[in-house]
Amino acid sequence: MIVCSCNVISDHDIRGVVSTGDELCSAAQVYGCLGCTVRCGLCSHSVRRILEERPARDIRYAPVLEP
Ligand code: FES
């Protein structure tokens, strides 16, 4: 589904970028990774929602390093 009609970006495009960038935290950063910029801003809420849906990094199985 097209999320951003100004840049013709789909939810699939956004999810692809979000899944590879743990440090991404804003719509502007997501658009930067996709090589474009926010124009009218109507899609910003949808992009933020996709960012919030991103699963938290699972640290339950991180190794415990003993000195
Ligand atoms: S719909 Fe995304 S910037 Fe306009």
Side-chain angles (χ1 to χ4, degrees), residues 20-60:
T20 60
D22 286 342
E23 70 284 350
L24 294 176
C25 58
S26 72
Q29 289 175 322
V30 170
Y31 282 99
C33 287
L34 290 168
C36 55
T37 59
V38 178
R39 293 183 187 173
C40 74
L42 289 176
C43 57
S44 294
H45 179 73
S46 297
V47 174
R48 281 196 299 274
R49 185 169 37 82
I50 292 171
L51 280 167
E52 290 167 3
E53 289 173 357
R54 170 177 46 184
R57 202 166 191 186
D58 190 351
I59 59 171
R60 288 180 294 173

Side-chain angles (χ1 to χ4, degrees), residues 2-21:
I2 296 296
V3 171
C4 175
S5 55
C6 293
N7 292 301
V8 192
I9 294 174
S10 70
D11 61 324
H12 183 76
D13 297 327
I14 294 168
R15 288 179 205 285
V17 168
V18 167
S19 69
T20 60

